[in-house]
């Protein structure tokens, strides 16, 4: 097929492989990126006329490499390479490259590219921006829109990230086993950050930022192809799939946040849920539990419940206690409090979160959960105070509107207990 949609998909899919290989060859991010872009332009001219190559990634690597060499020669006033039509038959050259794409060489290229984007000298915001630009191929304008910053500011952020990498003299040899083990965790954290940037968007921002969730899932699937037996990679991919499966039900027609218990579960994406459940089941069989597996196991229990009352809160509480021991965090304990309230009541949950106040004094979800628990206990004045603080700390208009709805309920006697406003997002990155 040579229709534009197929070509665009092929170029996007081949980008990580091609840019990674070109980076190893040229040892410069800008040169590798420019070489890939030139290869894409040639593909757009050549493929519709001559048909697609046997292996798009191999074709792009070969053409991009020649393009980069050609540019270097022009800069040094040497003779350019022959015209494109004279080297258009790339079958033999492609074959040698294609043979390596599924092997260790290709795997190391991809890992090196991801490791560079997640270099420890880079702040998390620069890691995410660089990965979205270099690995995913998003334009600076798209990334800036997703992060709600100006295009020039995002351009500067990415430029600074590239400069730091250049100044750090990052080696381009194949990563060794010890380095792989240490750096994979950073790559997983970066992918999780990308997802959370999209997942935390309010209804008015969803059009611009929701694609970040899809891009994070694509990156997670790429990692899964590289680490097919690594349970934490399976766990992260499952977690993202299960969370994203609820996207269509998270906001109502007015753009207001809908809690999981109130969501229309027929809107949940069954295909994503099935894929996520299969992955977490496979990961657990390895008997090497990790934080992402535990979080995805919690998400799986929610996904398996046909109705809110079918949720296995006892198992969720147990999993959160395991997560607390693995990665102690006040946010994990706050999440556990929601399950704790279901099992032991709001008074017990309130006692559980009280010690968290100093560490979560600037955290929206802490005051949202606290206000909900106080409201269930009939402590109206204290609940109103907590809700007021939550509104002041709200990250989106939807979060603020959701809390105001509970404040309104405090003025109207209700015969039924009110749920805690929201479960905090389980982010181990904060």
């Amino acid at each position: 097929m040579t229709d534009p949609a197929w070509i665009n998909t092929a170029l996007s899919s081949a980008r990580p492989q091609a840019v990674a290989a070109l980076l190893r060859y040229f040892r410069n991010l800008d040169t590798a990126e420019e070489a890939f872009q030139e290869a894409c332009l040639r593909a757009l001219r050549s493929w519709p006329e001559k048909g697609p190559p046997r292996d798009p990634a191999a074709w792009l690597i070969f053409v991009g490499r020649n393009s980069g060499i050609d540019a270097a020669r022009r800069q040094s006033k040497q003779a350019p390479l022959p015209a494109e039509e004279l080297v258009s038959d790339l079958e033999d050259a492609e074959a040698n490259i294609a043979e390596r794409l599924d092997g260790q060489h290709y795997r190391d290229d991809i890992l090196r590219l991801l490791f560079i984007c997640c270099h420890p000298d880079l702040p998390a915001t620069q890691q995410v921006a660089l990965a979205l630009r270099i690995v995913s191929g998003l334009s600076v304008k798209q990334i800036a829109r997703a992060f709600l910053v100006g295009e020039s500011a995002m351009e500067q952020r990415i430029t600074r990230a590239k400069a730091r990498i250049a100044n750090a003299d990052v080696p381009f040899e194949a990563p060794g086993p010890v380095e792989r083990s240490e750096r994979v965790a950073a790559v997983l954290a970066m992918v999780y950050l990308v997802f959370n940037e999209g997942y935390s968007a309010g209804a008015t921002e969803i059009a611009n930022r929701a694609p970040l969730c899809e891009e994070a899932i694509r990156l997670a699937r790429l990692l899964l192809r590289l680490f097919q037996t690594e349970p934490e990679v399976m766990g992260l991919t499952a977690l993202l799939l299960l969370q994203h499966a609820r996207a269509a039900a998270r906001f109502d027609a007015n753009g207001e946040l809908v809690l999981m218990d109130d969501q229309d579960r027929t809107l949940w994406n069954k295909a994503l849920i099935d894929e996520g459940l299969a992955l977490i089941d496979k990961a657990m069989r390895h008997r090497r539990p990790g934080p992402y597996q535990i979080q995805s196991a919690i998400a799986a229990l929610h996904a398996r419940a046909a109705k809110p009352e079918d949720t296995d809160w006892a198992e969720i509480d147990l999993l959160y206690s395991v997560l607390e021991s693995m990665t102690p965090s006040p946010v994990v304990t706050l999440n556990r409090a929601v399950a704790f309230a279901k099992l032991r009541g709001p008074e017990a949950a309130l006692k559980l979160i009280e010690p968290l106040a100093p560490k979560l004094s600037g955290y929206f979800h802490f005051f949202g959960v606290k206000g909900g628990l106080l409201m269930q206990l009939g402590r109206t004045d204290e609940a109103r105070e907590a809700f007021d603080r939550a509104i002041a700390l709200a990250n989106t208009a939807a979060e603020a509107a959701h809390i105001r709805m509970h404040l309104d309920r405090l003025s109207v006697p209700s015969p039924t207990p009110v749920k805690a406003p929201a479960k905090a997002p389980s982010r181990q990155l904060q």
Side-chain angles (χ1 to χ4, degrees):
M1 295 179 64
T2 54
D3 65 275
W6 183 90
I7 292 176
N8 184 61
T9 300
L11 295 178
S12 298
S13 299
R15 183 184 177 94
Q17 299 97 307
V19 174
L22 293 168
L23 176 61
R24 174 173 50 82
Y25 190 80
F26 293 112
R27 296 174 176 253
N28 181 280
L29 276 174
D30 286 328
T31 303
E33 195 175 4
E34 289 167 6
F36 176 76
Q37 293 299 335
E38 178 60 30
C40 288
L41 290 174
R42 294 197 183 190
L44 291 172
R45 292 195 299 266
S46 173
W47 293 1
E49 178 184 346
K50 300 176 182 177
R54 182 184 63 181
D55 190 309
W59 193 98
L60 291 165
I61 292 169
F62 184 83
V63 172
R65 186 176 63 183
N66 283 350
S67 172
I69 294 171
D70 192 14
R73 285 178 176 172
R74 284 198 302 270
Q75 289 174 3
S76 60
K77 297 183 180 180
Q78 295 180 15
L81 290 176
E84 180 184 346
E85 59 269 16
L86 299 179
V87 292
S88 59
D89 185 7
L90 307 177
E91 198 65 31
D92 291 340
E94 287 176 32
N96 293 330
I97 297 175
E99 287 175 2
R100 298 199 301 267
L101 283 180
D102 293 327
Q104 189 67 34
H105 208 161
Y106 155 65
R107 184 173 184 266
D108 288 343
D109 280 347
I110 293 289
L111 288 177
R112 175 58 59 193
L113 180 62
L114 290 169
F115 288 171
I116 285 174
C117 291
C118 298
H119 193 276
D121 285 352
L122 298 180
T125 53
Q126 290 185 10
Q127 290 183 11
V128 171
L130 192 62
L132 290 173
R133 179 73 196 99
I134 301 298
V135 184
S136 303
L138 272 64
S139 69
V140 173
K141 184 176 182 180
Q142 287 174 307
I143 301 170
R145 190 185 301 129
F147 280 85
L148 305 178
V149 300
E151 191 171 343
S152 61
M154 182 54 66
E155 181 72 58
Q156 291 173 7
R157 184 181 300 181
I158 294 172
T159 300
R160 285 196 298 268
K162 290 179 178 179
R164 283 196 180 195
I165 289 171
N167 295 334
D169 194 23
V170 178
F172 288 87
E173 290 72 23
V178 175
E179 183 188 5
R180 279 184 200 156
S181 176
E182 292 174 348
R183 298 287 293 277
V184 164
V187 174
L188 294 177
M190 179 274 293
V191 173
Y192 197 19
L193 271 174
V194 173
F195 182 85
N196 278 330
E197 285 296 331
Y199 189 80
S200 61
T204 58
E205 306 164 337
I206 204 74
N208 291 331
R209 295 175 66 184
L212 294 179
C213 293
E214 296 168 3
E215 188 54 41
I217 291 171
R218 192 174 78 87
L219 291 173
R221 285 172 170 154
L222 173 62
L223 286 170
L224 197 57
R225 290 200 298 272
L226 298 173
F227 297 95
Q228 297 181 16
T229 60
E230 174 52 55
E232 272 294 82
V233 177
M234 298 179 205
L236 175 63
T237 308
L239 176 61
L240 304 190
L241 290 167
L242 293 170
Q243 296 285 64
H244 195 51
R246 298 188 291 105
R250 292 184 62 229
F251 296 96
D252 65 17
N254 298 319
E256 294 185 358
L257 195 64
V258 180
L259 297 184
M260 190 184 300
D261 281 1
D262 300 322
Q263 288 175 10
D264 180 355
R265 301 192 177 208
T266 63
L267 297 177
W268 291 4
N269 188 314
K270 188 175 185 304
L272 292 182
I273 289 174
D274 289 344
E275 184 181 354
L277 293 178
L279 272 175
I280 187 55
D281 288 345
K282 182 179 179 181
M284 290 300 187
R285 287 197 292 271
H286 285 264
R287 298 188 179 279
R288 286 190 285 134
Y292 292 117
Q293 293 172 73
I294 301 301
Q295 291 180 72
S296 60
I298 293 169
L301 288 170
H302 287 296
R304 286 189 166 106
K307 303 185 296 296
E309 53 268 29
D310 296 336
T311 306
D312 189 343
W313 289 107
E315 185 67 17
I316 289 175
D317 178 53
L318 178 62
L319 288 168
Y320 271 126
S321 69
V322 174
L323 190 59
E324 278 183 311
S325 65
M326 283 185 176
T327 56
S329 161
V331 174
V332 175
T333 304
L334 181 64
N335 283 328
R336 186 185 179 190
V338 176
F340 215 68
K342 298 285 186 178
L343 295 171
R344 298 173 177 84
E347 185 71 49
L350 197 59
K351 289 180 180 178
L352 183 66
I353 68 170
E354 280 176 353
L356 307 179
K359 292 183 179 179
L360 298 180
S361 60
Y363 193 49
F364 161 80
H365 292 284
F366 173 75
F367 291 98
V369 171
K370 181 179 179 180
L373 295 172
L374 289 167
M375 189 162 57
Q376 291 182 53
L377 291 169
R379 294 159 62 174
T380 304
D381 291 341
E382 293 172 86
R384 183 176 287 107
E385 182 180 347
F387 285 149
D388 285 340
R389 180 62 177 154
I391 290 174
L393 294 169
N395 300 298
T396 67
E399 288 180 346
H402 182 73
I403 296 299
R404 287 194 187 94
M405 177 186 69
H406 287 283
L407 273 174
D408 291 342
R409 289 180 181 177
L410 288 176
S411 304
V412 181
S414 174
T416 57
V418 183
K419 305 181 185 99
K423 170 183 156 185
S426 187
R427 297 179 186 170
Q428 302 314 305
L429 309 174
Q430 299 189 7

